[in-house]
Amino acid sequence: MAQSVEKVYADALFELCVEDNTLEDTYEELYALKGIFDDNGELLELLSSPSMGEEDKHSVIRNIFEGRVSETTFNFLNVLSDHGRAKYFDKIYEVFHGLYNDKKGILEVEVVTSQPLSQRLEEKLKAKLEAQSGKSVTIRKTVDKAIIGGIIVRYSDSEIDGSLRKRLSDLRKSIDSYIA
């Protein structure tokens, strides 16, 4: 089975970083680069452009990043641009980020509530998720008044929807099926 472009590049970079013991530094640099590329999307378009020569792309990378990132990250950017893969940077970063979290035993959780989550409830939820998963949990909180009340917890490929909106929807379906 063929792997996606982002998986191939993320896996290769990840393995290199583990071998070279540069995982932490590279992860931090990729995180910073993601912010730079998010703010300057045209830079990735430029580095992916087939009409721009390899030397010109190297020159752009050298002018912007040389001395500001590690040799590993610098070379990785050059490889991406050489192969026309710079446009996949965001997806490569996502896969790398997942590999990093797996290696470090980190579980990222999104918690959606209709009101801001209290510190006490956040701590209880974090402790429960850490006990269940055996991983260190980081919580990203989102407020969405549309869920009316309750909580939605998303992590990995799972979602626990304890929102009032979901309960009302289920109740509506139940009533509709009973009446029909």
Side-chain angles (χ1 to χ4, degrees):
M1 175 201 267
Q3 291 186 340
S4 65
V5 168
E6 52 270 14
K7 179 126 178 67
V8 170
Y9 282 86
D11 283 347
L13 179 60
F14 186 80
E15 288 177 27
L16 176 66
C17 292
V18 170
E19 284 177 23
D20 292 349
N21 199 28
T22 59
L23 184 59
E24 293 293 330
D25 292 339
T26 303
Y27 175 75
E28 289 175 14
E29 289 176 347
L30 292 179
Y31 179 78
L33 287 173
K34 182 176 178 349
I36 290 168
F37 293 143
D38 285 349
D39 292 343
N40 303 287
E42 62 279 354
L43 180 56
L44 282 179
E45 288 177 30
L46 181 70
L47 295 175
S48 297
S49 174
S51 63
M52 187 174 186
E54 200 172 281
E55 246 338 284
D56 291 333
K57 290 177 185 179
H58 285 221
S59 178
V60 168
I61 293 169
R62 191 171 33 260
N63 288 334
I64 297 172
F65 298 110
E66 190 172 47
R68 294 186 175 107
V69 296
S70 67
E71 184 179 348
T72 300
T73 302
F74 182 79
N75 290 338
F76 183 68
L77 289 172
N78 281 306
V79 168
L80 289 180
S81 70
D82 290 351
H83 294 97
R85 303 297 196 217
K87 63 186 169 194
Y88 295 103
F89 181 85
D90 282 347
K91 291 181 180 182
I92 293 168
Y93 170 78
E94 286 177 25
V95 174
F96 189 90
H97 182 77
L99 294 168
Y100 176 85
N101 283 349
D102 287 345
K103 174 90 171 157
K104 295 296 182 175
I106 298 170
L107 177 64
E108 290 187 351
V109 177
E110 178 185 13
V111 175
V112 182
T113 55
S114 63
Q115 301 289 323
L117 190 63
S118 72
Q119 185 70 27
R120 185 179 67 68
L121 187 56
E122 180 181 350
E123 289 170 2
K124 286 177 77 172
L125 179 61
K126 182 177 179 179
K128 182 164 185 138
L129 290 169
E130 286 179 341
Q132 285 178 340
S133 68
K135 295 183 176 186
S136 173
V137 171
T138 59
I139 295 179
R140 184 172 33 107
K141 300 175 281 191
T142 305
V143 174
D144 181 359
K145 295 193 182 296
I147 71 166
I148 305 170
I151 189 169
I152 300 172
V153 179
R154 296 182 184 118
Y155 57 94
S156 302
D157 293 331
S158 301
E159 178 177 280
I160 301 166
D161 191 340
S163 68
L164 190 52
R165 175 179 64 192
K166 170 83 165 113
R167 290 181 185 170
L168 290 172
S169 174
D170 291 347
L171 180 61
R172 184 178 313 116
K173 289 175 186 173
S174 176
I175 292 171
D176 287 347
S177 69
Y178 181 74
I179 294 173

